[in-house]
Structure formats: C-alpha cells, structure tokens
Amino acid sequence: MHYVPEAYESLPSLQLAGELFEKKNAVQPLVGPIRQLFLDRGLCHKYGISLLHKHFSMEPIERLVEYHHSASPWVVKNQNALVIPRYEGAIVPRTFRFFEGKATPYEFSFSATAPLVEEDHEEFVLEVSNLLRQYDLDDVFGVRWLDDYDSELPMEVTEGNVNIMMPVGSVPDASLIEALWVFSPDETQRCHCLSVCRTIGGKHQPDHGCS
C-alpha cells in the first residue's frame, strides 16, 4: 500500500455520498454479505465500514490527520509513505478505500506509539475492498480502523478545514447522515451507526434497519 492524494481529493461531498448510498440501495449488501465477512474474520470489533466522503479539499502535500477527536490537514514532505514520523510519534493510516485497483488509505491518525493498522490485517482490508467492488460499492464505502473511535462523541461537524467529533444532540437530527457502521454478531443488532456527519442544507431521513 501507499498513499495517493487523489484517493482523498476524488471523494464526493457528504450530501452526494448520502444520495449515492440510497441510489445503490447499499444497505442490503451492507447488512448481508459485507457484515458476514467481518463476522467470519472475527474483526468486527477492530474495523468498521465508512461512507466515502470529504468535507473540504486539500493540497497534494497535505493529509487529513485525526488527533484528540479533531481531524485537519497536516503538511507532509513524503507524499507516498504510509507512515510518517512526527512529534516523536507517527502519522498512520486510519481509513481505506479501493482506488485504482488497490486498497489505499485516505484518512490518517497521529499515533504516539505504534502504527494503528496491524500488518497482518492488510489482507483483510483488501478482501473487504474486493467485496465492495463485487457489489459495485467501492465508490460508496471504505474500511475504518476503530482503535481511536470514541462512542461518546459520535457526531462529526466541520468548522472551516477541521472536522470535530461532538456529543449526541450537538446538531439537529435532520441535518445528519450516517457515516460509520460497526457490525455485531447479534441478529437483533446487525449494525450500529456509530458516527454521523452534518450536512448543510437538505434532509436525509433514511430507514436502514440498523440499530
């Protein structure tokens, strides 16, 4: 794997991503074969499915990096390396998409210790990406590493060029779009929409049958 700036820059807006989700009826494979793959591999507690979208554009020398529940563009010198040393830690991959035939990271986190994504799981990320392509959903979903996710801050809002995770109730429900799903082996709780993003204008009122 390596980083390609266009993997981020070619992402749709949140509104367009939500519309594409509905147009392709993506919930059916989401709660069916996609969920089953996560359960079969025993990695549903480590990875989730993310809605492919962006809130703002960045320069090719920048990466979207999350730290302490905020994500903003960080300038990097090496545009291709997956892991970049910084501040006695490292910028490491967080979210992946299937792009130009490869599983490619498009969002990152700052880690003060070891890289978040385990090398042994690169094969799983590619397997999920291939399944998404099989169902023509590689332009709808990505794969998200859950290690840094805080369920107490499930709402993502954007201020300028910064995405900020906020508590429930921070913005009206009518302006939210589901953006992250985590699967459960319990048939009554197939998937949890753990994160939502705010959209400006328009309403998104889906009924996805998920808990």
Side-chain angles (χ1 to χ4, degrees):
M1 292 186 194
H2 64 281
Y3 180 62
V4 180
E6 186 62 19
Y8 172 87
E9 197 58 36
S10 62
L11 293 171
S13 68
L14 177 61
Q15 187 67 38
L16 290 178
E19 292 173 0
L20 186 60
F21 179 100
E22 299 295 336
K23 180 180 179 180
K24 291 196 172 185
N25 194 24
V27 69
Q28 299 303 323
L30 177 67
V31 301
I34 296 174
R35 166 181 173 267
Q36 193 59 50
L37 176 60
F38 278 69
L39 298 180
D40 289 346
R41 298 296 179 268
L43 294 173
C44 56
H45 62 295
K46 290 191 175 183
Y47 288 97
I49 286 289
S50 62
L51 182 70
L52 292 176
H53 70 282
K54 68 178 181 181
H55 294 270
F56 47 79
S57 293
M58 296 191 304
E59 297 296 327
I61 61 172
E62 296 177 322
R63 296 191 192 185
L64 187 63
V65 180
E66 181 177 303
Y67 184 56
H68 284 179
H69 311 305
S70 294
S72 60
W74 288 27
V75 175
V76 300
K77 293 182 180 180
N78 188 325
Q79 297 183 30
N80 297 318
L82 284 185
V83 177
I84 298 178
R86 183 71 63 88
Y87 304 125
E88 298 186 355
I91 297 172
V92 296
R94 182 188 73 177
T95 317
F96 301 80
R97 64 177 295 196
F98 195 83
F99 184 76
E100 295 183 344
K102 298 179 181 179
T104 305
Y106 65 93
E107 293 179 342
F108 295 78
S109 291
F110 173 75
S111 173
T113 56
L116 295 178
V117 178
E118 301 171 21
E119 292 183 1
D120 291 345
H121 292 169
E122 290 186 8
E123 182 178 345
F124 172 71
V125 173
L126 182 58
E127 189 174 7
V128 175
S129 297
N130 287 336
L131 183 62
L132 294 176
R133 184 173 56 170
Q134 177 183 334
Y135 284 91
D136 190 30
L137 294 175
D138 53 310
D139 58 345
V140 178
F141 294 131
V143 183
R144 165 74 183 270
W145 174 252
L146 299 174
D147 186 66
D148 58 346
Y149 186 81
D150 186 346
S151 60
E152 299 297 319
L153 301 171
M155 292 189 173
E156 182 182 63
V157 300
T158 301
E159 292 289 344
N161 280 9
V162 180
N163 296 335
I164 308 167
M165 301 308 298
M166 304 286 284
V168 173
S170 299
V171 295
D173 289 348
S175 65
L176 300 175
I177 292 179
E178 291 93 333
L180 176 65
W181 296 266
V182 175
F183 303 107
S184 167
D186 187 343
E187 283 294 331
T188 63
Q189 295 182 330
R190 287 188 172 185
C191 66
H192 304 268
C193 180
L194 291 184
S195 183
V196 291
C197 292
R198 182 183 185 184
T199 179
I200 306 300
K203 294 185 178 180
H204 186 78
Q205 297 177 327
D207 180 9
H208 294 162
C210 299
S211 301

